[in-house]
Amino acid sequence: MFDFEGKTAIVTGAGSGIGEAIALELAASGAFVVVSDVDEHAANRVVATIMDRGKRAAGFAADVSDPDAVERMVKFAEAEGGALHLAVNNAGIGGPQRPVGEYPLDGWRQVIDVNLHGVFYGMRYQIPAMERAGGGAIVNISSILGSVGFANASAYVAAKHGVVGLTKTAAMEYSANGIRINSVGPGFIETPLLAKNLDQEALDGLASLHPIGRIGTSEEVSALTCFLLSDRASFISGSYHLVDGAYTAQ
Ligand code: NAP
């Protein structure tokens, strides 16, 4: 559906769930994809799937909360792909589920480190690389919880709201330089992140919160993300795009 022939892309957290679906779709559409994840095994599994399909990818193990590792990831993409054109800052964690007055301090720091600092570190090194490439496009994966609250998830909600503001600001700074930057806000999506944290009863409860009557799929998030990365979205920058089955319409 999209044409990413000749483009090099980085997807973080691409060893699972939403990031994996995005990496597969970008590669299927012709991009050379750096499949990055803290879990090297998971990244290599996705690379093998892409190569089995006759497309191009390379794995890179990086923890997005480590700025040095993120800088090395961007250098790797430039060295292997010739230049960096596309990036999806997707890696994220759920974190502890507790009210603010009882929220564990180490859990707070960990969620902010991965879900907010990780996105900043990504753009901090991707943007100069895209300037060297003559332009590019970035999508930062936020959440519906980038615009509404959710009880017992204060660190996650704060980080995802932060991603939306960070994205708007970076887009104001770099859109004139040919780098479009947007954020995506998925509703609840069927991925290992949810399965790791919730039982079936809780998953059914979440589905009922979406007027569309179910939770979403990673492929539905990938379709929007790839559109925003593509030239079809040439006038779209600095905005927050929901893919949420009407969750936030209520
Ligand atoms: P997932 O299935 O758990 O995949 C996330 C991947 O990121 C995993 O492979 C994970 O590795 C990796 N990761 C975790 N911490 C990392 C770090 N510090 N550096 C690099 N990689 C790291 O999660 P998902 O559901 O696809 O979520 C992807 C993104 O979508 C996240 O930003 C999440 O907040 C967002 N999102 C998800 C939903 C949802 O309902 N699923 C809804 C809205 C937004 P490990 O498995 O080893 O931790």
Side-chain angles (χ1 to χ4, degrees):
M1 193 171 161
F2 301 106
D3 180 9
F4 293 116
E5 209 61 55
K7 307 281 189 197
T8 298
I10 290 174
V11 184
T12 68
S16 172
I18 292 169
E20 175 176 355
I22 294 168
L24 293 176
E25 187 164 4
L26 285 171
S29 309
F32 167 65
V33 182
V34 173
V35 177
S36 186
D37 202 285
V38 72
D39 180 345
E40 189 171 12
H41 242 54
N44 289 339
R45 182 184 55 77
V46 174
V47 170
T49 304
I50 290 172
M51 309 251 290
D52 282 351
R53 295 175 183 177
K55 301 296 181 180
R56 298 184 315 128
F60 192 88
D63 177 343
V64 296
S65 67
D66 174 355
D68 295 336
V70 173
E71 185 177 20
R72 285 196 298 275
M73 171 185 77
V74 171
K75 283 187 173 150
F76 175 81
E78 286 187 293
E80 295 294 311
L84 178 66
H85 310 98
L86 309 170
V88 182
N89 293 305
N90 162 79
I93 56 174
Q97 293 171 47
R98 288 284 234 293
V100 173
E102 300 166 22
Y103 207 85
L105 299 183
D106 56 346
W108 172 273
R109 287 193 198 96
Q110 194 190 4
V111 172
I112 300 293
D113 259 356
V114 175
N115 292 8
L116 179 56
H117 295 168
V119 174
F120 166 67
Y121 298 145
M123 290 201 292
R124 171 66 181 79
Y125 296 106
Q126 292 152 4
I127 286 170
M130 288 180 188
E131 288 185 305
R132 288 191 284 276
I138 298 175
V139 169
N140 297 320
I141 303 297
S142 176
S143 164
I144 45 174
L145 306 185
S147 60
V148 296
F150 199 77
N152 299 318
S154 53
Y156 187 91
V157 170
K160 293 300 186 181
H161 274 68
V163 167
V164 173
L166 174 60
T167 301
K168 289 176 180 172
T169 301
M172 289 170 66
E173 293 165 347
Y174 290 99
S175 292
N177 305 21
I179 304 171
R180 294 182 303 98
I181 310 175
N182 289 286
S183 60
V184 161
F188 287 94
I189 306 296
E190 196 176 345
T191 71
L193 178 81
L194 278 199
K196 272 181 273 189
N197 289 297
L198 302 169
D199 60 21
Q200 193 54 47
E201 196 185 333
L203 287 175
D204 293 344
L206 284 181
S208 71
L209 298 176
H210 300 71
I212 208 166
R214 62 175 175 84
I215 59 177
T217 68
S218 294
E219 289 71 23
E220 288 170 322
V221 181
S222 177
L224 173 59
T225 302
C226 288
F227 168 71
L228 291 170
L229 291 174
S230 77
D231 292 341
R232 303 290 302 278
S234 48
F235 196 55
I236 304 178
S237 193
S239 38
Y240 166 60
H241 303 267
L242 295 158
V243 47
D244 73 347
Y247 183 106
T248 50
Q250 299 168 91

